[in-house]
Amino acid sequence: MDLSFGPEYERFRAEVRDFIESHRHLAPNTMALRHKSVLDWQRLLIDKGYAARTIPREYGGAGLPTDILKSFIIGEEFAAARVRAGIGGQGIHMLVPTLLELGSEEQKRQFIPPTLAGEMIWCQGYSEPGAGSDLASLRTSAVLDGDEWVVNGQKIWTSTAHLADWIFCLVRTEPEAPKHRGISFMLFDMKTPGIEVRPLVDMTMERNFNEVFFTDVRVPKAQIVGARGEGWMVANTILKNERDTLADPNQAQARLNSLVELMRSETIDGVRVIDKPEFRDRLMRLQGRALANRFNDLRNLSNRLGGRADGALAQMIVKLQGTELRHDIEGLAIDVMGETGLAYGSNPYLRDKGSWQYQYMYYLGLIIGGGTSQIQKNIISERGLGMPREPRPHPA
């Protein structure tokens, strides 16, 4: 099997490595949104074609031709160097591709440039208290009143809602239609009167989620993406893009490399942890899973190069395997540190600023987010492998 990309792409890989080496001192060491160093780094990456690479210049991107292999190499090299590859999040990774595919020209010009620049932060209004895995059961309503929609309802598990400027939200505009129809995909300003955001503290002990309440929120009629009542199709486009971002094999490999370094530095009774057979065996199993993810990623890459779409099942496999792998990598690191691995928060004995403990909790949440592992397994088995549907209890 020849996994080399050829001379042209190896020259490009060298260019990327040279850029990272000469500019890594400019990469931000903070995750704070809107921080000057973050915005400056994003602008530099776009100018160099390492972020927003194929998005047209008129929408704030680099405007370069599509080259799947070059984009793949950029992701590999930034992850291997452990240098932040620009801004991500729900706006850039999820909404921007959807607007490029389904948005109006006015929506593209209004929303894409400030989102790419990191100046417009988005949150996603999907889940509700009674509509999680069965998202099509959502009840948040939007009623047309002249040239405005009047929105009422509630969303939950809304990441970054307390920081967001705008929300992309699923609302029911046709209450008499079947549940997968009559849903519209709407954009509105989070400063609109009638929106209340309440924090939800998650397992990381931080406010990553929120619940959002809408009371007579008035939204301009034109702020629907796609056709009225066809938001379920738009939502599935978003979910496809979301799954692609939840389990990057390059990031998993970079994290695994950090785990190896930790195991070489930690000792038990004077013996390096990596020299302990029971820990080394666990590491090798994780390395095998990381390689499987890597080769599956290359298979998907080959499909795209051949003009064959990955399909939803391929993305579900990546999401399922990738999030569980990351959780297990962080879990082994905690075990490697022994009792120090139980430290959290402001404990003075924390290793790596507590990142292992934080990511362990965070990825436990991502196993649920974007479709739980149980849901992913059901869809993969039934639609991908042709297995019988899960038995349903007969009504009483």
Side-chain angles (χ1 to χ4, degrees), residues 110-312:
Q110 179 181 356
F111 296 116
I112 294 179
T115 301
L116 291 179
E119 297 164 355
M120 182 179 284
I121 298 169
W122 291 82
C123 61
Q124 172 185 259
Y126 271 29
S127 296
E128 299 182 3
S133 297
D134 185 16
L135 182 59
S137 297
L138 65 91
R139 300 176 63 183
T140 295
S141 66
V143 177
L144 193 59
D145 181 19
D147 290 331
E148 294 180 317
W149 294 99
V150 180
V151 180
N152 285 278
Q154 178 187 357
K155 298 293 179 178
I156 198 166
W157 314 124
T158 313
S159 304
T160 68
H162 57 302
L163 303 171
D165 303 298
W166 283 70
I167 184 172
F168 52 93
C169 189
L170 289 179
V171 297
R172 189 166 297 282
T173 54
E174 332 294 323
E176 304 303 321
K179 70 177 186 178
H180 286 86
R181 301 178 183 175
I183 295 171
S184 295
F185 188 96
M186 192 173 292
L187 312 175
F188 48 96
D189 194 325
M190 287 294 285
K191 295 187 293 294
T192 307
I195 299 178
E196 180 186 0
V197 179
R198 300 179 188 172
L200 294 172
V201 177
D202 64 19
M203 290 179 292
T204 67
M205 305 306 293
E206 292 189 7
R207 176 183 175 169
N208 289 311
F209 298 121
N210 303 270
E211 51 185 345
V212 184
F213 297 86
F214 308 112
T215 305
D216 295 332
V217 177
R218 304 190 76 87
V219 179
K221 181 180 178 180
Q223 287 176 196
I224 282 182
V225 177
R228 169 178 172 172
E230 296 183 5
W232 188 250
M233 181 268 291
V234 184
N236 278 296
T237 301
I238 284 274
L239 288 172
K240 174 189 71 175
N241 295 324
E242 179 182 24
R243 293 188 189 107
D244 282 345
T245 66
L246 294 180
D248 181 357
N250 294 321
Q251 295 296 334
Q253 184 60 56
R255 197 61 168 167
L256 193 60
N257 293 341
S258 296
L259 172 60
V260 171
E261 293 175 6
L262 179 70
M263 294 178 68
R264 286 171 174 163
S265 64
E266 293 288 333
T267 61
I268 299 175
D269 296 331
V271 178
R272 295 189 312 169
V273 171
I274 200 166
D275 295 326
K276 293 280 188 178
E278 60 272 29
F279 284 100
R280 191 167 59 244
D281 287 350
R282 288 177 63 184
L283 174 63
M284 290 178 66
R285 285 194 290 270
L286 291 176
Q287 288 174 323
R289 289 167 59 188
L291 281 173
N293 271 11
R294 159 77 171 163
F295 289 129
N296 183 62
D297 198 36
L298 289 172
R299 180 179 65 179
N300 292 335
L301 175 65
S302 297
N303 285 338
R304 292 194 293 273
L305 288 171
R308 300 180 298 275
D310 292 351

